Amino acid sequence: AIERHRQQQFKVQMARSKKEGRVLAFIGARGGMGTTTTAHNVAAALARDRRTILVELSTAPEALAWYTGANPTRDLGDLLEMSPEQVRAEDVEAAICKLPMGLEVLFSPQGCKPAPQISQEHAAAIIRRTRELADIVVLDVPRYPSISTQTAVRSAAFVAVVTSLENAGREAARMTLGFLISWGLSSALV
């Protein structure tokens, strides 16, 4: 009994000391740059070796479910219906869709039901809880500046701005970098 108690204490300590997952954020300089595809491909490659969760941090139904052929029964919208203080790791786990090859995805709200905007508190809670579950969290972040986008990129160890080489793409990337830096991000992270 004493040995079982020690083993249980050890498991609890290990769970508490578990390092939170690293966050990688992908943001498009403008629409149609392939940000979702890039985030998906990076997450899928990382999922081969580590628990990786891709989060589609948007309230609009995006193309990722279609792209992956998934039909999620739960999604980000379910978490946004809760108060940020109520969001637990178990709730995030229940909303994640497990895809083949080990990739796990928290999809944006699907279907026609309206979803509330993502508040700073919701973004922080969802990212924090996802980090508790995964070794790596890959965020597919909307390209428009918002408080949830700001919260997301500030939580990241690395931010990739996805763009094209044409003049419009370069100019959009320059603008995106401008607002990222105005939010206090170091250009070394981007």
Side-chain angles (χ1 to χ4, degrees), residues 149-172:
T149 300
Q150 187 176 11
T151 302
V153 298
R154 282 185 170 167
S155 72
F158 172 81
V159 179
V161 177
V162 181
T163 190
S164 63
L165 296 176
E166 83 235 13
N167 288 337
R170 287 197 310 264
E171 185 55 35

Side-chain angles (χ1 to χ4, degrees), residues 7 32 36 45 59 67-68 73 85 87 94 106 120 136 143 146 170:
Q7 289 175 351
T36 298
T59 56
Y67 179 74
T68 60
T73 56
E85 301 81 29
V87 176
L106 177 57
Q120 179 178 9
I136 301 173
R143 69 182 182 281
S146 69
R170 287 197 310 264

